[in-house]
Amino acid sequence: MKLMYITKNPDIAKIAEGAGVDWIFVDMEFIGKGSRQGGLDTVQNHHTVDDVAAVKNVVNKAKVLVRVNPVHDALPDYPSSKDEIDAVINAGADIIMLPFFKTIKEVEEFIRYVGGRAKTCLLVETPDAAEILGQIVKVPGIDMIHIGLNDMHLALKMKFMFQLLSDGSVDKWAKIIKDEGISFGFGGLASLDGGIIPGRMILKEHYRLGSQMVIVSRSFCNADKISDLEEIRNVFVKGINEIRALEQECMHQPAEYFEKNHAATVTAIEHFLRAN
């Protein structure tokens, strides 16, 4: 499974790469994000093209994934989508992610702007996109799709993002994407024993569903709260090794192993909802 970590810090990027993170995630999205997530304990980044170049310059094996802004015209102090995408490709982006889209037209524009110069990743995080997912996956030029549980659950007025796992939504979307032969992932992963729903349960859900990528979340390693790079390195090495060990276990398990975990995950989610 491809592991992603969000950072613009070249030192952290090198540590993450060395520990086994596959993609360094530079997050340039800011248009409309504050109004969607205002007041919530969510990460709102505004990385820049310079950050893309700085990260690209220090990694060797890891790919640089850049989340650009939703498709937009030029703003008074910010370039249009086409110019933004040109800039991040020139800065070294290997994969470009389109967030918060609602229409096929936006997807087609995005793919046209990328023009085959980098891999494309759609972030399905709006009910509108989910509603037409069966049509979206038919658009030529999509390399991968990530299902964004955070914005999706907010838009659907749910209490908890993992409700989308317990109510069958992720199963339904995963099938649509997989049936078209497109690789996909969803959500974020805390440390295996951290998170409201332990990361080990979520990782097993990824394997049950055939997911191939996940964001290693802020709660896995919040580098903003640790100043010692060696301590950050230790957290990453230990945590990524634990994830890879559990992956090895998952690769040799029968369907019953995952169904049992799914039932336990649903129970844990329902318990959290009742308590909150």
Side-chain angles (χ1 to χ4, degrees):
M1 181 175 292
K2 301 299 184 186
L3 301 179
M4 303 176 253
Y5 185 75
I6 299 176
T7 186
K8 67 175 183 178
N9 184 320
D11 292 331
I12 307 297
K14 279 190 71 67
I15 288 171
E17 178 188 47
V21 169
D22 301 283
W23 298 343
I24 305 301
F25 188 141
V26 180
D27 186 8
M28 291 177 53
E29 184 192 7
F30 71 96
I31 296 174
K33 196 164 188 178
S35 61
R36 302 198 309 267
Q37 300 183 355
L40 299 174
D41 183 25
T42 54
V43 180
Q44 294 178 23
N45 303 300
H46 184 185
H47 300 168
T48 67
V49 173
D50 287 342
D51 294 325
V52 177
V55 168
K56 182 65 176 181
N57 284 338
V58 300
V59 296
N60 297 309
K61 295 181 297 180
K63 301 294 186 185
V64 177
L65 180 150
V66 181
R67 174 161 58 188
V68 293
N69 282 285
V71 172
H72 63 279
D73 296 325
L75 302 172
D77 57 352
Y78 200 78
S80 67
S81 283
K82 181 181 183 304
D83 290 340
E84 180 186 53
I85 288 169
D86 284 345
V88 301
I89 290 171
N90 290 336
D94 299 294
I95 305 162
I96 303 178
M97 175 184 279
L98 175 68
F100 213 73
F101 65 90
K102 299 180 179 181
T103 66
I104 290 173
K105 181 184 176 186
E106 290 170 280
V107 173
E108 290 174 336
E109 279 189 61
F110 167 69
I111 289 170
R112 186 168 69 251
Y113 293 154
V114 175
R117 294 173 293 167
K119 296 290 187 182
T120 59
C121 179
L122 302 183
L123 180 58
V124 174
E125 56 181 346
T126 68
D128 308 73
E131 187 68 28
I132 59 170
L133 185 56
Q135 298 165 258
I136 287 168
V137 295
K138 303 290 186 183
V139 176
I142 301 167
D143 293 303
M144 58 200 85
I145 294 177
H146 196 78
I147 300 169
L149 302 186
N150 189 55
D151 271 299
M152 187 74 81
H153 97 280
L154 294 175
L156 294 172
K157 304 291 192 278
M158 291 180 167
K159 289 183 177 179
F160 186 35
M161 66 180 179
F162 286 127
Q163 279 179 261
L164 293 160
L165 268 178
S166 62
D167 73 359
S169 295
V170 178
D171 287 66
K172 177 178 68 177
W173 300 328
K175 184 177 189 306
I176 292 170
I177 299 166
K178 286 191 298 183
D179 283 353
E180 199 58 34
I182 298 172
S183 63
F184 85 99
F186 65 89
L189 186 69
S191 59
L192 294 189
D193 296 308
I196 295 167
I197 308 300
R200 66 180 62 254
M201 296 174 75
I202 299 300
L203 185 59
K204 291 174 187 177
E205 281 287 87
H206 279 268
Y207 269 79
R208 179 181 69 83
L209 290 162
S211 165
Q212 294 172 277
M213 55 189 186
V214 65
I215 298 168
V216 178
S217 72
R218 178 176 52 159
S219 55
F220 170 86
C221 180
N222 190 347
D224 292 335
K225 293 187 175 180
I226 307 173
S227 58
D228 185 339
L229 288 179
E230 201 54 41
E231 184 179 348
I232 292 172
R233 190 187 317 278
N234 291 339
V235 170
F236 265 102
V237 170
K238 180 176 182 292
I240 300 299
N241 284 346
E242 288 173 350
I243 289 171
R244 296 306 189 193
L246 182 55
E247 284 192 276
Q248 285 297 316
E249 179 182 320
C250 288
M251 289 168 65
H252 305 288
Q253 297 300 326
E256 293 79 12
Y257 171 91
F258 298 104
E259 293 305 324
K260 183 178 178 181
N261 178 74
H262 178 64
T265 302
V266 171
T267 299
I269 292 166
E270 291 173 347
H271 176 77
F272 173 80
L273 292 172
R274 285 195 300 270
N276 291 272

